[in-house]
Amino acid sequence: MKHVGQAVRDHALSSSTQGQIVAIGVATWGIIHNRDALVNPEGCFPADYEMDIEGQGRLSCLDNNHTHFLLVDDGTQGNYGVEIELRSSLERCITRKRLGNKDSRVTIPAVCVVLDGGPGTLNTIYNAMLNGTPCVILEGSGRIANVIAQVAGLPLFRVTIALIHQLMKKFFGQEYENFSHLKIIEWTKKIQDIIRMSHLLTMFRISEDNHSDVDVAILQALLKASRTSERLGMDCWKRQLELAIAWNRVDLAETEIFTEESQWKSSDLHWAMRLALDKNRPRFVRLLLENGVSLKDFLKDEKTLCELYREKPGCILRSKLAKRVERTAISMTHVSDEVRHLLGSFTQALYPPSDMSCQFDLRTEETSLRSKGSMGSQRDPGRDLFLWAVVQNNKELAEIFWELCTDSVSAALAASKILKTMAKEESDADEAEDMRELASHYEDHAIGVFSECHSSDEERARELLVRASPSWGRTTCLRLALEADDKSFVAQSGVQAFLTQIWCGGLSVDNPVWRVLICMVFFPLIHTGFLVFRRDEVIHREDVKNKDIESVETVTGSTLQTNSRNLDPSGPQSLKPLSCWGRIVHLYSSPQVKFYWNAVSHFAFLFLFAVVLMIDFHATPSAGEVLLYVWLLSLVCEEVRQVFYNPDGFGFKKKAKMYINDLWNILDVLFILLFAVGLTFRLTSELLYAGKIFLCIDFVVFCLRFMAIFTVSRTLGPKIIIVRRMMTDMFFFMFLLSIWVVAYGVAKQGILIHNDDRLDWIVRGAIYEPYLIIFGNFPTNIDYAAFDLDSCSMNGTDPLKPKCPVLNENLTPAFPEWLTIIMLCVYLLFANILLLNLLIAIFNLTFQTIQDNTDRIWKFQRYQLIQEYHTRPAAPPPFILFSHFYLFVRNVLLSRASIIRQEFKSEELLSWEALMKDRYLLSTKQEKNQSMERRILDTSQKVTTITDRLEREKEASSAAVVQRLARLEEQVCQSAKALQWIMDSLKSQGFGAKEAQPPTWSASDESPETLIDASEKMDRNHVKACELHYPDSKLRRFPVPDEKVPWEISFSSYRPTCFTPADGGDHVDGSESEALDNYRNPRGRTGIRGRGALSRLGPNRSAELVLTRIREGQRSFLEYLAVWDESKETLSLPGGALQSDGCLLVALERTIGKTMYEKLKAKVSEGTKVFEGYVDDCRNTDNAWVENTLLNIHLDTWSQFAADINSMVAGSNGALQWQDVSSKTRLGSDQRDSLRLVAKLHNRKF
């Protein structure tokens, strides 16, 4: 009790869990020190009890680390062990309760852990094991634990009274002197019974290195106990698996549960998968998947997935769902809405409404409704569980289910988007950081898989980028990467090659830029082969491929590849060369050519704008100025088109937000607004000059906007990104600089100038002049030598001159010159040297930080430029107005959609993607295994494994030596017995020796060979008959150790109780000893005399019938007929006690019924007698015992008699059942032994 209390205390101090462990102590009232303090007539909870260990003497104090105590009082004082019976009953009651919900297959596990202990602990162990509670003995902890550990590995015949005497004296010390011989006999019997129940006994050796493995020993004890349970059947394996999941010991599950003996179906493991998911056991989830769990069957019912979302209250999605559905139950439609919010409004619903589901046709863009069942067959269960794990930020589970997703690249990018969105909404900074790390992890996964795809087949990899994924809202991988801001994914070579292909349009990517520029002006050159088109490259590659195939076919004579090409009319060989008009269309519709024309248009616009502002700006607009306005109108129309053009279905709100988030678009809007204001002022004669000023400022804005053209350059594009970041740094730096500027400026102005009320000169002196000082423009009014009275105004009346400083009577400055000079020096020291160098350092840090990522950021932003010019009309401003007019008529007036989606062979593409994913995972695993950290870990694990193996071999070798010595001792005893028999034979024939005979062992001396022989017989046939507790009574047998069972062995201390029930009670009487001596148990002593619970003295005969048949199939199985007992919910063999000899048929009629009895009546005589003789029964006494007859009747499968029996079994409503003959049959131990004999008779494995 003290050790348990200390363990509870240590756990409470070291654990972060909030729950309190309930520790219930069961103690005897008569041995408690200071127990009078617990007596309170009015009651007191909690009890006021003080521990007084020093003054307790032989009594014991209650441990204050326990939460509750049950105190047992039988009226005695100072007697230990009174509580054992109540403890056993309480444990038995608790272990029958279900663990968790009512559907759980596991009862509350109970384990008896033995640490040290005395005789009372031995009684506790014995009673616990009789109740089926497994025990873990901590070897080396002292006293009774060491005694049991010493004899646990010995054969039973070596566990003798003498050996227990020695061990008790060794481990108990002076306490041994108080033990009586009868107590030692009783303890020997209990220890023998404990060792005999080896399936409930687990030994654990305490050492300094394996304290943490005690939990493994406890779990192994539970698994071993449940595995050897005779009545659990398949539930035995389920119980073991649930225990392993609850304890999170996947290593034991692999070695102890998922073995060749256990055969699992997918449906048998669904509950285990659900439990592993609920308890967050990723290693168990992987183990279950490896052992046959089908996720498709597991999620066949949508209710399972809904319950998984409902039972995770800690995640963000669960809290959002709770707010959305306050009173109604959570459905997958609600989950779909929240996931769509996380992914983005451009996606479609992942889970259609419960009553119908949407199915989209890639070609026609039509929506059709399908039933719930048809849609369920197309769902990806890996996607469903991966999404469930991602929204919980569960990396390990998400990793497992990502490997099972059919669309792995889209799944990884979608996870990145979801996690980044959740990180923005998460209030916990640490949790948000974990989400961002997991998002980066899945971006790396997407990069790895796509890199494998691109290196394998570039064309398929490009199809994968633009394929609309039905599993992820019918969006593409590229769109998901852009929305998730996955710059690394977009920056990889495969994606950039695809963007370059889009940038070139119908032109080849290998065309030099100068050729493209020449053909833009001299377009007839495209018909001369001066410019290469992509279709020409495809046709050329196909021609080369066809020639190679034809050459191979010429050599081999095979035409299989030619026939397969002819069957595919949509292949590349069906492409035709471009026509003249087609070449012109492909040239001018290329985004690359559009960009160049727009760049020329921007240059022309700037030139015209500059000419108008500097040369041609009159009161009446000239033709050039009117052209400028028309040109601007075309730019405004293009900006409006960009806002409303929504091919991806973002919606106007999302599209407008995306538009404003772009810096270049902000400059466009600013440019248009300033131009509109300037134009308005310009058309008003009074504000003509003000309008020109606005237009000049607008020219500056447009020049800045013109920088966007250089973003296409691989050299200038990254530099523009660096400049933008430095502008941000400089903006914040100006706050720091302004403090020094204002501080010095105000102080200088106050010292020099007295009460100047001109705001413009105040600002000039307090801010402008200090700012110019930074760049070397030093003021002249702070020094007497440089002061000029003519450069200032005495009273500040001249608006063109500053006010003079305070002057003396002689018209010289009155301010302290030394102070103004010192202030200037300090100001220059901090502003010019400190702050400006700080700004340079900030710029340097920004440059170094961004330089490594500049290329990646530029590649990511390059997509926006390519997308803009890909969707932009071909004509440049101002001719783009004609394209805008055409689009307005087609899309608005005629309402014709222009979206055409290409359909890909999804199944083939996904299969290929899955293959590439497996390659990526394999390469990742190989790289991880080759890393230094992994090698160190593997080496450590190998050293640990070798150490454990050496320890096991050492233990096995020592146990083997003990067994060999035992066998050697047995052989010596048998040899001595044989020699004694030879000597006796010689004596009987008159060959007596004249010399003195050597001393021989006698029965009274308890010879070892006699003990061995008697012990072997008893171990086989006399175990239950010697159990201390006699069944259906409160009597206890006299303890009879194995060595004292045979009647031939002297046992002077043997004082058994005589038990003969009379009038329904327990009648104990010793007066009939003379009559009882006429009947003696043939197997030996049992510890109780009289008739006991049997019907008569002497043999009590019974019979059992095993009716067998062969069930044919892929394999033939031997089956037996069992009787179902509804009251006890058990199976048994037909039969029963015989009232007299030859009454087997009467016993059968009582168990199988009259109808079956009539059928079997004629067949009983034809049966095979498998066994007849003594049965080890717990009711046996010294004078009454059970003898059994086992009869087997085997049915011919095709006989009429077998058909009649089968029809009766079918009509018995389960009272009669055919069961397989196997070791997993749910019968009692005695009847299992009978069935084993029948299996041996038919040469069947049991």
Side-chain angles (χ1 to χ4, degrees), residues 525-541:
L525 290 176
I526 62 177
H527 304 297
T528 63
F530 184 74
L531 203 62
V532 182
F533 289 83
R534 196 197 311 171
R535 182 174 294 186
D536 297 337
E537 289 182 334
V538 174
I539 294 175
H540 176 70
R541 288 197 302 266

Side-chain angles (χ1 to χ4, degrees), residues 921-1151:
L921 292 175
L922 180 60
S923 62
T924 304
K925 185 177 181 181
Q926 291 176 350
E927 292 178 1
K928 186 177 180 180
N929 292 336
Q930 293 175 359
S931 64
M932 185 62 66
E933 294 81 1
R934 185 65 182 181
R935 291 181 178 180
I936 294 174
L937 181 61
D938 290 343
T939 303
S940 175
Q941 291 178 349
K942 289 178 181 179
V943 171
T944 303
T945 302
I946 293 174
T947 304
D948 294 341
R949 183 173 297 178
L950 290 175
E951 290 180 357
R952 288 197 300 269
E953 290 180 355
K954 181 179 179 180
E955 294 177 359
S957 61
S958 61
V961 170
V962 172
Q963 292 179 358
R964 291 177 63 184
L965 291 175
R967 286 196 297 269
L968 181 61
E969 183 179 355
E970 180 182 356
Q971 291 175 2
V972 170
C973 295
Q974 291 177 352
S975 300
K977 183 178 180 180
L979 289 174
Q980 183 67 33
W981 178 81
I982 292 173
M983 292 173 61
D984 294 340
S985 299
L986 291 174
K987 285 181 180 180
S988 63
Q989 297 177 8
F991 296 97
K994 297 180 181 180
E995 296 83 1
Q997 298 292 335
T1000 59
W1001 289 317
S1002 62
S1004 59
D1005 295 329
E1006 301 179 2
S1007 62
E1009 69 272 15
T1010 307
L1011 295 179
I1012 293 171
D1013 185 62
S1015 179
E1016 287 181 347
K1017 291 181 180 180
M1018 189 272 171
D1019 190 55
R1020 292 194 303 265
N1021 302 66
H1022 210 65
V1023 176
K1024 296 180 181 179
C1026 292
E1027 292 179 351
L1028 291 180
H1029 298 281
Y1030 193 80
D1032 300 328
S1033 70
K1034 297 182 180 180
L1035 297 180
R1036 288 172 54 88
R1037 299 178 189 266
F1038 189 90
V1040 182
D1042 293 356
E1043 59 188 293
K1044 298 296 185 179
V1045 168
W1047 296 107
E1048 296 83 5
I1049 304 299
S1050 174
F1051 193 11
S1052 59
S1053 302
Y1054 186 55
R1055 298 290 186 274
T1057 301
C1058 183
F1059 172 46
T1060 300
D1063 299 330
D1066 296 346
H1067 177 66
V1068 179
D1069 188 3
S1071 61
E1072 302 177 358
S1073 58
E1074 297 180 358
L1076 296 177
D1077 290 339
N1078 296 327
Y1079 302 93
R1080 195 163 68 169
N1081 192 305
R1083 298 299 182 185
R1085 300 181 179 92
T1086 63
I1088 194 168
R1089 290 168 56 85
R1091 177 167 56 85
L1094 297 175
S1095 58
R1096 63 171 64 90
L1097 294 174
N1100 291 257
R1101 293 182 175 83
S1102 63
E1104 290 177 346
L1105 174 64
V1106 181
L1107 197 63
T1108 57
R1109 69 173 186 179
I1110 299 294
R1111 175 168 57 87
E1112 300 293 344
Q1114 294 181 351
R1115 293 174 53 193
S1116 61
F1117 293 91
L1118 180 65
E1119 294 184 326
Y1120 71 96
L1121 185 65
V1123 179
W1124 174 254
D1125 190 341
E1126 186 68 29
S1127 60
K1128 298 181 180 180
E1129 296 185 353
T1130 57
L1131 293 174
S1132 62
L1133 295 176
L1138 303 181
Q1139 298 298 330
S1140 61
D1141 295 340
C1143 294
L1144 174 61
L1145 295 179
V1146 178
L1148 289 178
E1149 184 178 359
R1150 291 195 301 267
T1151 56

Side-chain angles (χ1 to χ4, degrees), residues 476-546:
T476 63
C477 294
L478 191 57
R479 171 53 58 191
L480 284 171
L482 294 168
E483 290 296 321
D485 197 26
D486 291 335
K487 295 181 177 61
S488 298
F489 180 84
V490 178
Q492 59 180 322
S493 59
V495 179
Q496 289 299 308
F498 174 71
L499 293 179
T500 302
Q501 181 176 328
I502 297 177
W503 174 249
C504 295
L507 304 180
S508 172
V509 296
D510 298 328
N511 289 317
V513 175
W514 62 271
R515 289 196 178 190
V516 177
L517 295 176
I518 292 176
C519 289
M520 287 171 55
V521 181
F522 304 102
F523 63 87
L525 290 176
I526 62 177
H527 304 297
T528 63
F530 184 74
L531 203 62
V532 182
F533 289 83
R534 196 197 311 171
R535 182 174 294 186
D536 297 337
E537 289 182 334
V538 174
I539 294 175
H540 176 70
R541 288 197 302 266
E542 188 62 25
D543 291 340
V544 173
K545 182 179 179 181
N546 291 337

Side-chain angles (χ1 to χ4, degrees), residues 149-169:
Q150 289 290 322
V151 300
L154 298 178
L156 278 173
F157 70 86
R158 296 195 60 190
V159 183
T160 61
I161 300 175
L163 178 61
I164 299 301
H165 267 289
Q166 296 176 5
L167 295 177
M168 286 286 185
K169 184 176 182 180

Side-chain angles (χ1 to χ4, degrees), residues 251-272:
D251 52 342
L252 296 181
E254 290 176 343
T255 57
E256 303 288 341
I257 300 175
F258 289 100
T259 60
E260 296 180 356
E261 299 178 359
S262 58
Q263 299 178 357
W264 302 89
K265 298 179 181 178
S266 176
S267 57
D268 294 336
L269 295 174
H270 286 175
W271 64 269

